[in-house]
Amino acid sequence: KETLVLKAESLARKALALDSNHVAARFQYIVSLALLSEMADNPKEKLKNAWIIREQSARVLALDPDHAATHYVMAKWHHGLSRLSWFDKLVCEAFLGGLPEASASEALDHFQRALDLQPDYILFYYGLANYYVDNRRYAEAIHVLEKALELVAREPDDFVRKRNCRNLLDRLKTI
């Protein structure tokens, strides 16, 4: 998987060298960095990628403010960084050069914007539901998951996403 992601990153960089304003190429670069961060063991590499993902996402949104998938990436980005413990934040500040500013409210704004732009995308609902769960807003999470389960699967991954929504919904109903 890492070999394929590194190849995707290289191809995205080449595409950006040809046209730095190409939204799809810039977004693919963001996705490759996010995947590399997920696979990385080194916290410094993860943090470096977090800074780049934020900067590249801002560039995509400057070119296309209605790029739903980038709003989703920014939602996940803000959500993930805003959930770091005080200890993790302290370590990042002391040893890794600091954290980019992130907030839960920005995460929610980006989740909602992504869904406003693409209201039939199951992944966005699942992400928003997880945000609500992490913030102990269970009734809202249940509502979002029920809406996701009403949607028609439009791509192969949607079947897995719907199963994930169903599993999370079942878990929430026991709380």
Side-chain angles (χ1 to χ4, degrees):
K1 181 177 176 180
E2 186 175 4
T3 302
L4 292 174
V5 174
L6 287 169
K7 183 170 177 93
E9 179 197 19
S10 173
L11 291 171
R13 282 179 187 256
K14 287 178 184 176
L16 288 171
L18 295 172
D19 181 357
S20 65
N21 292 324
H22 196 281
V23 171
R26 194 158 301 283
F27 182 72
Q28 292 307 316
Y29 179 55
I30 292 166
V31 170
S32 67
L33 288 175
L35 291 170
L36 288 171
S37 289
E38 283 180 6
M39 292 183 273
D41 294 326
N42 182 340
K44 192 165 190 156
E45 183 179 342
K46 289 178 183 258
L47 186 59
K48 180 189 89 166
N49 286 344
W51 281 100
I52 296 170
I53 289 167
R54 180 183 176 105
E55 183 260 328
Q56 293 297 316
S57 294
R59 290 185 71 180
V60 168
L61 293 176
L63 294 166
D64 181 2
D66 294 335
H67 197 269
T70 302
H71 281 287
Y72 178 75
V73 166
M74 287 305 301
K76 296 277 290 177
W77 186 92
H78 277 281
H79 181 215
L81 286 179
S82 68
R83 293 183 58 232
L84 290 176
S85 71
W86 67 268
F87 181 75
D88 289 336
K89 290 177 184 176
L90 180 68
V91 168
C92 286
E93 291 296 328
F95 300 109
L96 301 176
L99 276 173
E101 191 174 317
S103 77
S105 66
E106 284 285 321
L108 181 57
D109 290 346
H110 282 289
F111 277 125
Q112 290 173 332
R113 182 71 175 132
L115 280 167
D116 287 345
L117 292 166
Q118 209 169 339
D120 60 345
Y121 206 64
I122 295 167
L123 177 64
F124 297 169
Y125 286 92
Y126 184 66
L128 178 57
N130 278 295
Y131 167 87
Y132 283 141
V133 169
D134 289 341
N135 288 283
R136 294 182 172 90
R137 295 168 64 174
Y138 303 124
E140 289 161 295
I142 289 170
H143 176 72
V144 167
L145 291 165
E146 288 172 342
K147 284 176 80 171
L149 291 169
E150 292 172 1
L151 296 173
V152 174
R154 300 189 184 279
E155 53 188 65
D157 287 346
D158 283 345
F159 296 103
V160 173
R161 293 171 183 150
K162 286 184 99 166
R163 185 177 66 236
N164 291 342
C165 287
R166 168 61 53 208
N167 291 340
L168 182 55
L169 182 61
D170 291 345
R171 195 178 94 218
L172 287 173
K173 290 184 176 180
T174 64
I175 292 176

